[in-house]
């Protein structure tokens, strides 16, 4: 079935000195999910925050939390983030030598299971777990920082992934994360995404509520 695409503002780009206000604003907006970036300073060259902050965010935010773990050994922390309120837990393929096990651990916790891949990682590497996934996240920047430029090689990757999903009759969330805004959202959706993360293009814009509305209004229907 075709439906409307999902918009998930990334809280990493919010002004943390007034986090409560920023989350209230997201509550008022047409955003579907809130994207929450966890960085450990090892898997990626930056540190963000941990499960306690996620718990605090979850108390104020009425949107479900899409938690993106850019950390090594994510299996050790899944329960903490699930307890903190994560609805989707996404781990990186590059951080998981035992990816299948980690996916099962996420499911056992009752969360939706996502796998993210870096710009250089082929979607073919997901072939043997596709049936197990609720979300596939294609990174369209090298993870670690908000506000980077969209890598256009993501578009052919998306098309390839969408073809595989159609052939196998699967319909997970296909998320694109990094450098997404009004200037490229339409081509990303056309290439096969149905879930867009938007950090700077929402929180750093003059009118974030309006920016979400515009992102939401792009196209009429999508791959859901
Ligand atoms: C990058 C993060 C992204 C980031 C997106 O490492 O995973 O989720 O917050 O921010 P923008 O939209 O500003 O690229
Ligand atoms: Zn992210």
């Amino acid at each position: 079935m075709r439906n409307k695409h999902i918009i998930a503002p990334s809280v990493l780009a919010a002004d943390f000195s007034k986090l409560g206000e920023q989350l209230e604003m997201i509550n008022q907006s047409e955003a579907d999910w809130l994207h929450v970036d966890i960085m450990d300073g090892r898997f990626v060259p930056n540190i963000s925050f941990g499960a306690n902050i996620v718990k605090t965010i979850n108390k104020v935010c009425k949107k479900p939390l899409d938690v993106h773990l850019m950390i090594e050994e994510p299996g050790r922390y899944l329960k903490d983030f699930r307890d903190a309120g994560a609805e989707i837990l996404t781990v990186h393929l590059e951080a998981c030598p035992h990816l299948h096990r980690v996916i099962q651990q996420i499911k056992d916790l009752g969360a939706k299971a996502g796998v993210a891949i870096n710009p250089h990682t082929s979607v073919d590497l997901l072939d043997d777990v596709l049936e197990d996934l609720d979300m596939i996240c294609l990174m369209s920047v090298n993870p670690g920082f908000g506000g980077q430029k969209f890598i256009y090689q993501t578009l052919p990757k998306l098309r390839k992934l969408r073809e595989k999903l159609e052939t196998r009759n699967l319909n997970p969330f296909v998320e694109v994360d990094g450098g997404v805004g009004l200037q490229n959202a339409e081509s990303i959706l056309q290439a096969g995404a149905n879930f867009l993360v938007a950090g700077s293009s929402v929180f750093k814009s003059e009118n974030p509520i309006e920016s979400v509305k515009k992102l939401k209004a792009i196209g009429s229907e999508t791959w859901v």
Side-chain angles (χ1 to χ4, degrees), residues 35 37 68 70 139 177:
H35 185 82
D37 286 314
H68 178 194
M70 287 161 276
M139 290 308 300
D177 186 13

Side-chain angles (χ1 to χ4, degrees), residues 48-63:
S48 59
F49 47 81
N52 275 340
I53 300 285
V54 177
K55 199 172 181 178
T56 307
I57 289 173
N58 194 41
K59 277 188 194 145
V60 183
C61 188
K62 296 199 176 84
K63 312 285 178 174

Side-chain angles (χ1 to χ4, degrees), residues 100 103-104 107 113-114 128-135 170:
H100 184 273
I103 293 167
Q104 297 317 314
K107 295 194 159 173
D128 295 315
V129 288
L130 271 191
E131 268 78 8
D132 301 311
L133 297 180
D134 299 299
M135 170 184 277
L170 297 172

Side-chain angles (χ1 to χ4, degrees), residues 53-213:
I53 300 285
V54 177
K55 199 172 181 178
T56 307
I57 289 173
N58 194 41
K59 277 188 194 145
V60 183
C61 188
K62 296 199 176 84
K63 312 285 178 174
L65 303 186
D66 164 31
V67 175
H68 178 194
L69 299 174
M70 287 161 276
I71 63 176
E72 287 186 359
E73 299 186 69
R76 293 175 56 195
Y77 303 96
L78 294 172
K79 188 173 184 306
D80 290 354
F81 286 103
R82 175 63 175 151
D83 290 347
E87 284 289 322
I88 299 176
L89 282 164
T90 297
V91 297
H92 266 264
L93 177 139
E94 301 85 357
C96 296
H98 306 288
L99 184 64
H100 184 273
R101 177 186 293 148
V102 175
I103 293 167
Q104 297 317 314
Q105 285 174 344
I106 297 174
K107 295 194 159 173
D108 289 348
L109 289 167
K112 291 191 196 308
V115 171
I117 60 173
N118 281 336
H120 74 279
T121 302
S122 167
V123 293
D124 292 340
L125 294 178
L126 294 169
D127 275 353
D128 295 315
V129 288
L130 271 191
E131 268 78 8
D132 301 311
L133 297 180
D134 299 299
M135 170 184 277
I136 295 143
C137 170
L138 299 194
M139 290 308 300
S140 40
V141 297
N142 287 296
F145 303 93
Q148 302 183 78
K149 258 178 65 187
F150 184 82
I151 297 172
Y152 274 86
Q153 177 57 22
T154 311
L155 297 182
K157 284 177 76 174
L158 265 174
R159 285 186 209 107
K160 189 175 185 186
L161 173 62
R162 180 51 65 187
E163 251 180 60
K164 286 178 193 286
L165 296 173
E166 298 251 287
T167 309
R168 291 159 72 163
N169 206 14
L170 297 172
N171 222 343
F173 291 137
V174 175
E175 177 175 70
V176 171
D177 186 13
V180 177
L182 279 171
Q183 74 288 357
N184 53 18
E186 184 151 20
S187 34
I188 297 168
L189 293 170
Q190 275 170 3
N194 56 24
F195 197 122
L196 303 182
V197 176
S200 317
S201 65
V202 168
F203 283 103
K204 309 270 195 240
S205 71
E206 236 162 71
N207 187 338
I209 291 191
E210 196 56 29
S211 301
V212 173
K213 197 185 175 82

